[in-house]
Amino acid sequence: MSVLCEISELVQAGRMKNVQEKVAEALESGIAAKDILFNGLCAGMSAVGEKFKNNEMYVPEVLIAARAMQKGTEFLKPHLIDEGVKPVGKAIICTVKGDLHDIGKNLVKIMFEGCGIECIDLGTDVDGAAVVEAVKSTGAQIVSLSALLTTTMPNQAEIIKALCEAGLRDKVTVMIGGAPVSDEYAKEIGADIYTEDAASCADAALAILKGE
Amino acid sequence: MTPAERAVCALNLGKPDEIPTFELEYQLSEEMFGLSLKDERLEPHNIGRLSQKEIERYSCDLADIYARVFGDKTAYDIGGAAISGNERLDSAPGLDYCIIPVYSPCWGDENYPVTKIFRKRLREHFGKTRLFGGHGDGTFAIPSGSDMYEFIYRIADEPDEVKAQAKRMCLEAIENNKRRHEAGIDVALLCADYCYNSGPFLSPAMFDEFITPYLAEIIEAGRKDGMLMIKHTDGNIMPIIDSLVACRPHALHSIDPMAGVDIREVKRLYGDRVALCGNVHCAALQTGTDEDVINSAEYCLKYGGENGGYIFCTSNVPFKGMPPERYKLILDIWKRMRKY
């Protein structure tokens, strides 16, 4: 098994100490940091996302894997800077106003970062003004909005309205998700994409950023 | 049969004369009855300011409100003159719940000044025609916020310590349930949520390691003491339902249609081992059409109620913000279809 495959396997198993050791070993053997990131660490998280989507892995296993990936990425960071490696794109993520649930949002963040997408996490209970400001200041191409409650899902529409009013609607792809949300609802409020889980959300975001 | 007898019958997989109803919590009392089920003056942080007479009066008033909201005409007529005169209430029938959810955190604390008065008055209203329910879980629910990371990393890094904590929580719940039962709580409502719409938070293997043994112990102890044990969790329970049923609760609550759980299928697979409560679509109640709501309620009564072993209720609770007329709509359907 190649060292990159081993890194991928270790990420999936959540073995953070071993991931860091293996990343060091890969660097010493002359593999580019970019390859280690995308073909080792991200490949591992991508497999995790796929298994999560198919109910073969559960939230704790995903978060433990993400912790392992994080450790590897931290170790790799100075080498990535040296090589001038840039993220695939930028995404703003948040849970909408009135809603304090964050697990869905956090899973999306993990999956995004696992694909090499830089995340600007605005947290929970976020209104349209904050999202507009973040889009302006970061130039993010994607806005991903989570709502877990039937009472807060209308606030996804409010944020889209705020983006329209700020003249930013055409500059970003708006993705929505959350337990009570549906494809039909996404169309109704003018969102671009609805996905039913975090891994599908990352797949769709990656496709957008790659222009597929 | 009384509502209590119907509940006992259904929870023991029998077929009562009518399908009973209740809710784990009821948050629409102000919207539907103009009455609050909580009196701030009687809460621990305020009670020190009241005289004994005031405590007695407010405790009785609160019990009277419970009777009018949760009972039927028969129940609140017992209090008669003392509680009449609220036009809005007099024109609205009570909910006629078979299990009345008691919110008082001090129900099992004999020394709390409200407890005995409130309980006595409630019994005067209802006698044994209703059961009383109180929260009684002691297992790990899905953690929220940063607690989730801490919990998950502990599971990965120090599983034995997590199990020791689970055991401590379990023993504490058993002790609390015992005390509440002695004070008159008949039904333990075990409300730790385990599942999202997509499935369980913990993998089935983790669930069997960190939840199942402790849940089984709490239920077994409650059963031994004569309590009725209802296990609630939101979400898609199907990957862990075998474990839940193996813990021997009298009933599973929620049977969450928003997570794709179909009461007809659960009844077919497990209806001979566990009673079911719920399945009326809460999202439809909030945002669906009247037709969606009617279809959901009729489906539950038809397939959940088949051959008994079912208590009609929403898949969560009638929460603040739910249109009261929608909740009233499902109660109307229940009244139309409840007779066996």
Side-chain angles (χ1 to χ4, degrees):
Chain A
M1 189 189 286
S2 75
V3 68
L4 295 180
C5 285
E6 282 183 72
I7 290 171
S8 167
E9 295 286 336
L10 289 168
V11 165
Q12 291 174 58
R15 309 257 296 270
M16 64 174 172
K17 276 185 192 164
N18 302 95
V19 166
Q20 205 168 320
E21 286 163 8
K22 232 5 127 181
V23 168
E25 190 185 315
L27 283 169
E28 274 169 29
S29 70
I31 300 173
K34 186 181 178 182
D35 279 346
I36 299 171
L37 177 66
F38 287 107
N39 300 324
L41 297 168
C42 290
M45 272 318 284
S46 174
V48 167
E50 198 56 29
K51 288 179 184 173
F52 181 62
K53 200 158 59 176
N54 298 329
N55 291 326
E56 292 162 25
M57 278 181 97
Y58 291 79
V59 171
E61 294 156 320
V62 172
L63 296 187
I64 292 166
R67 181 176 66 163
M69 175 173 167
Q70 187 70 31
K71 277 280 169 200
T73 312
E74 274 169 23
F75 190 80
L76 206 53
K77 205 167 184 179
H79 303 274
L80 291 168
I81 292 167
D82 286 349
E83 286 180 22
V85 178
K86 295 261 186 315
V88 178
K90 284 185 189 173
I92 287 162
I93 62 167
C94 66
T95 307
V96 300
K97 185 84 187 155
D99 201 326
L100 299 176
H101 295 89
D102 64 359
I103 178 61
K105 169 187 73 65
N106 292 347
L107 286 170
V108 169
K109 184 180 179 185
I110 287 166
M111 297 301 170
F112 274 14
E113 288 177 344
C115 296
I117 300 170
E118 184 184 334
C119 271
I120 298 105
D121 182 356
L122 302 183
T124 60
D125 194 21
V126 174
D127 63 13
V131 174
V132 165
E133 186 50 44
V135 171
K136 281 182 186 166
S137 63
T138 64
Q141 302 100 318
I142 287 179
V143 170
S144 179
L145 306 171
S146 171
L148 200 84
L149 304 171
T150 48
T151 48
T152 58
M153 55 195 261
N155 294 332
Q156 292 175 321
E158 289 301 313
I159 291 176
I160 293 172
K161 200 171 144 198
L163 287 167
C164 291
E165 285 168 1
L168 295 170
R169 183 63 189 88
D170 297 339
K171 297 193 172 13
V172 290
T173 299
V174 177
M175 308 178 75
I176 65 165
V181 181
S182 64
D183 197 28
E184 197 178 31
Y185 181 69
K187 289 190 183 99
E188 187 185 317
I189 66 169
D192 297 302
I193 296 171
Y194 158 77
T195 53
E196 63 175 24
D197 60 68
S200 307
C201 184
D203 289 346
L206 197 57
I208 295 285
L209 292 169
K210 286 183 173 173
E212 289 169 3
Chain B
M1 292 177 100
T2 65
E5 287 167 341
R6 288 180 193 120
V8 171
C9 178
L11 291 171
N12 286 291
L13 303 177
K15 187 175 172 181
D17 59 343
E18 291 179 5
I19 296 172
T21 191
F22 92 113
E23 294 289 342
L24 291 180
E25 284 182 17
Y26 175 66
Q27 299 177 2
L28 297 176
S29 64
E30 288 176 46
E31 292 82 348
M32 284 177 71
F33 295 94
L35 295 168
S36 172
L37 293 166
K38 190 172 181 183
D39 187 336
E40 277 296 331
R41 295 169 299 187
L42 295 173
E43 291 296 309
H45 55 282
N46 284 330
I47 198 152
R49 296 175 200 158
L50 302 179
S51 68
Q52 184 56 32
K53 274 203 165 172
E54 285 171 323
I55 291 172
E56 281 174 25
R57 193 168 79 237
Y58 299 155
S59 301
C60 285
D61 286 350
L62 188 62
D64 292 347
I65 289 171
Y66 266 65
R68 306 202 70 164
V69 170
F70 292 119
D72 58 9
K73 191 76 181 160
T74 325
Y76 55 78
D77 271 354
I78 297 168
I83 55 172
S84 64
N86 181 331
E87 267 179 42
R88 192 168 171 185
L89 184 62
D90 289 339
S91 63
L95 299 169
D96 205 8
Y97 282 3
C98 59
I99 301 166
I100 295 173
V102 179
Y103 306 122
S104 166
C106 306
W107 178 275
D109 179 358
E110 296 298 312
N111 296 320
Y112 195 66
V114 176
T115 309
K116 285 182 184 169
I117 308 161
F118 176 73
R119 220 164 55 199
K120 182 168 172 284
R121 181 78 166 183
L122 213 51
R123 278 293 176 206
E124 281 170 7
H125 278 299
F126 289 113
K128 290 184 175 174
T129 65
R130 305 294 193 284
L131 303 175
F132 295 113
H135 291 289
D137 214 328
T139 55
F140 292 118
I142 300 174
S144 58
S146 57
D147 290 348
M148 177 173 289
Y149 289 91
E150 192 197 331
F151 179 70
I152 287 168
Y153 297 156
R154 285 182 65 216
I155 278 185
D157 301 337
E158 45 194 48
D160 289 339
E161 282 184 31
V162 175
K163 284 178 203 169
Q165 186 191 349
K167 184 69 179 180
R168 286 195 298 276
M169 288 162 58
C170 163
L171 294 176
E172 193 180 334
I174 289 171
E175 191 53 41
N176 286 339
N177 286 342
K178 197 177 184 65
R179 213 173 56 240
R180 289 191 194 111
H181 183 52
E182 284 164 2
I185 292 287
D186 310 288
V187 186
L189 307 168
L190 311 176
C191 293
D193 276 321
Y194 304 139
C195 300
Y196 302 115
N197 281 2
S198 54
F201 164 64
L202 294 174
S203 69
M206 285 176 171
F207 189 81
D208 281 343
E209 207 177 340
F210 296 101
I211 308 284
T212 305
Y214 311 101
L215 178 63
E217 202 173 329
I218 291 168
I219 290 173
E220 187 53 34
R223 274 182 173 267
K224 224 175 192 171
D225 284 339
M227 288 186 100
L228 293 156
M229 310 299 283
I230 297 179
K231 177 60 215 167
H232 158 88
T233 169
D234 291 339
N236 178 10
I237 56 173
M238 297 317 279
I240 55 164
I241 193 167
D242 284 325
S243 298
L244 289 172
V245 172
C247 290
R248 297 186 63 242
H250 286 88
L252 290 178
H253 178 282
S254 177
I255 320 293
D256 194 345
M258 292 179 287
V261 184
D262 179 1
I263 198 164
R264 189 179 185 182
E265 183 65 0
V266 175
K267 185 98 176 173
R268 185 181 72 77
L269 294 169
Y270 301 96
D272 59 339
R273 279 170 281 168
V274 69
L276 304 177
C277 311
N279 199 239
V280 180
H281 204 295
C282 271
L285 281 160
Q286 178 77 21
T287 57
T289 63
D290 278 358
E291 196 184 356
D292 295 335
V293 175
I294 292 165
N295 287 342
S296 175
E298 287 182 346
Y299 188 88
C300 293
L301 287 158
K302 183 175 177 189
Y303 295 111
E306 202 168 27
N307 298 317
Y310 176 63
I311 301 182
F312 178 77
C313 47
T314 62
S315 59
N316 196 298
V317 299
F319 44 77
K320 279 264 177 228
M322 180 185 285
E325 62 276 12
R326 286 299 181 76
Y327 183 57
K328 195 170 173 303
L329 178 60
I330 69 162
L331 289 180
D332 288 342
I333 296 161
W334 166 67
K335 282 171 190 164
R336 171 163 59 81
M337 293 178 66
R338 66 184 164 182
K339 284 224 181 294
Y340 277 111

